[in-house]
Amino acid sequence: RRREMYRIYITLMEVMAAAVFIIPLWMIYHKICFHSWKRTMIYMVFAFYMTAVLALVGFPNITLLKIEVTVNVIPFIYMIPDFANACLNVLLFIPFGFFLPTLWEKFRNVKSTIVAGLLTTLFIEISQLFTGRATDIDDVITNILGTIIGYYIACWFTKAFTGRVLENSKQSDFNLICGSVVIIMFFFQPFISNLLWKMVL
């Protein structure tokens, strides 16, 4: 339990470091392309969620890169012995499956949401080749399962997307948010993160 609390603490620190860039950038996006404070704030919540995901999975950054290929392509071999971690991976992607169809019309069918979840988790797993962490097919399976669960929760919550959804949202907004978060986490956030840890420690 102490280990999990420590992971949450680290993630909050990483999100705070990213917020230094996300908040002012989203204010610019509000003026240029979002044109709605409601939309801007909801998109910011999604951006912070994606930042937390990248922090939790150990996304690489420009200050710390090392190639170490450790790949597991045999499903379920580690999932059962480490069932708790598998459950956490499922939980990690439930918000992803929930956010996508409630925010963007394109993802209001399960196939599109699953494809987005698959591409996102593949991107994360491939990126881990540059962090020394293992790339694992089990993570892909559990993340997709979490995405599917999140989608059906969103479907129930919105009554098959007839209400409680963000109207007139654009696919380009989704691309802009994800691209911005990745760039921030790779190039800029690590420097603020290092400063914050120096202040704390």
Side-chain angles (χ1 to χ4, degrees):
R1 186 172 180 179
R2 183 178 296 177
R3 178 179 150 189
E4 295 306 320
M5 291 300 296
Y6 184 64
R7 286 180 67 184
I8 292 172
Y9 175 67
I10 291 174
T11 302
L12 287 173
M13 291 288 287
E14 300 302 318
V15 171
M16 286 175 57
V20 172
F21 301 99
I22 289 174
I23 292 174
L25 186 60
W26 257 238
M27 297 302 101
I28 296 171
Y29 288 162
H30 167 73
K31 293 289 186 181
I32 296 174
C33 50
F34 296 160
H35 306 303
S36 161
W37 281 114
K38 177 183 176 181
R39 189 185 311 280
T40 301
M41 293 299 106
I42 293 174
Y43 283 172
M44 191 178 294
V45 171
F46 179 67
F48 284 140
Y49 160 71
M50 290 303 298
T51 299
V53 168
L54 295 184
L56 279 168
V57 301
F59 187 69
N61 64 69
I62 198 170
T63 66
L64 187 62
L65 289 173
K66 64 175 181 176
I67 299 177
E68 185 177 317
V69 180
T70 306
V71 180
N72 170 43
V73 295
I74 304 173
F76 310 116
I77 191 170
Y78 298 116
M79 188 183 296
I80 295 173
D82 196 5
F83 187 69
N85 187 62
C87 291
L88 288 174
N89 282 336
V90 172
L91 289 172
L92 184 64
F93 265 70
I94 288 177
F96 187 81
F98 180 87
F99 272 122
L100 262 61
T102 54
L103 300 188
W104 291 282
E105 185 176 1
K106 173 182 172 62
F107 300 109
R108 285 169 197 163
N109 68 78
V110 69
K111 182 180 177 181
S112 296
T113 303
I114 289 173
V115 170
L118 174 62
L119 293 176
T120 301
T121 192
L122 284 176
F123 172 75
I124 289 171
E125 292 303 308
I126 292 170
S127 75
Q128 289 180 338
L129 295 173
F130 301 92
T131 65
R133 297 178 62 146
T135 297
D136 196 335
I137 187 65
D138 287 344
D139 291 344
V140 176
I141 294 169
T142 51
N143 290 348
I144 291 174
L145 178 59
T147 300
I148 294 170
I149 293 171
Y151 173 87
Y152 282 108
I153 291 174
C155 188
W156 167 80
F157 178 75
T158 61
K159 297 183 179 179
F161 310 116
T162 58
R164 297 178 179 173
V165 295
L166 192 62
E167 301 289 348
N168 303 318
S169 53
K170 299 178 290 185
Q171 172 68 22
S172 57
D173 293 344
F174 172 76
N175 298 334
L176 180 64
I177 293 167
C178 293
S180 298
V181 169
V182 167
I183 290 171
I184 287 170
M185 292 298 286
F186 184 80
F187 287 105
F188 306 111
Q189 185 267 1
F191 299 102
I192 303 299
S193 177
N194 289 338
L195 288 175
L196 287 178
W197 283 112
K198 287 178 181 178
M199 291 169 61
V200 172
L201 300 177

